[in-house]
Amino acid sequence: MTGQYILCIVIAALLGGAIGLEREYRSKEAGFRTHFLVGLGSGLFMVLSLHGFDAFAGIPGIQRDPSRIAAQVVSGIGFIGAGCIIFQKNAVKGLTTAAGLWVTSAIGMTAGAGLYALASVATALVLLCLEGSDFIHHHVFHEKDASQPEADASQSEEHKAE
């Protein structure tokens, strides 16, 4: 079983790292190392939660609840994410970074539970969201932004003529 546990955490780390590479490419605060470590740690905690206490199974008076460690991982990532969010000059920054760390943790936990296909699809969706929104922002909204000053310039010319 040790090989299966190692596979779980390796996949968790690699999927987290894939998200981190995208964030690093975009020069965001949390990059490859951060996302890799969040994925790895979440996967490891999930493996520990599911299998780390197997020796205590069947002992009277001892109850195991795999969801307890997982719940604490979610709380811990919430704490880290909160540290990424900054309110400055009437603008909130770091929300996508915090959300990225949150979903990376969920992906790590999913891989740690052995649900590799689900973790992989979730990673693909995260990358599609991040890259897709960047594409739309630069190719759709940028064109509107570029045309906006021309409209303003022509309106100001009309006002001057009046």
Side-chain angles (χ1 to χ4, degrees), residues 44-56:
L44 184 59
F45 275 124
M46 196 63 189
V47 169
L48 176 66
S49 182
L50 292 172
H51 307 289
F53 304 100
D54 289 346
F56 298 104

Side-chain angles (χ1 to χ4, degrees), residues 5-16:
Y5 304 152
I6 292 170
L7 181 63
C8 287
I9 65 170
V10 166
I11 290 174
L14 291 176
L15 293 176

Side-chain angles (χ1 to χ4, degrees), residues 13-88:
L14 291 176
L15 293 176
I19 295 168
L21 282 175
E22 189 282 335
R23 303 310 290 158
E24 196 158 301
Y25 175 74
R26 301 278 173 217
S27 300
K28 299 302 179 181
E29 296 83 9
F32 173 77
R33 291 183 298 180
T34 304
H35 284 82
F36 184 93
L37 291 172
V38 166
L40 173 62
S42 297
L44 184 59
F45 275 124
M46 196 63 189
V47 169
L48 176 66
S49 182
L50 292 172
H51 307 289
F53 304 100
D54 289 346
F56 298 104
I59 297 176
I62 296 180
Q63 295 179 347
R64 296 183 322 150
D65 182 4
S67 67
R68 291 178 71 187
I69 293 178
Q72 298 309 311
V73 170
V74 174
S75 297
I77 291 300
F79 179 76
I80 291 171
C84 296
I85 300 170
I86 299 169
F87 182 75
Q88 187 177 35

Side-chain angles (χ1 to χ4, degrees), residues 133-149:
S133 65
D134 187 68
F135 177 84
I136 290 169
H137 178 73
H138 285 96
H139 291 89
V140 175
F141 295 123
H142 181 58
E143 290 176 5
K144 288 182 180 179
D145 292 342
S147 66
Q148 190 66 29

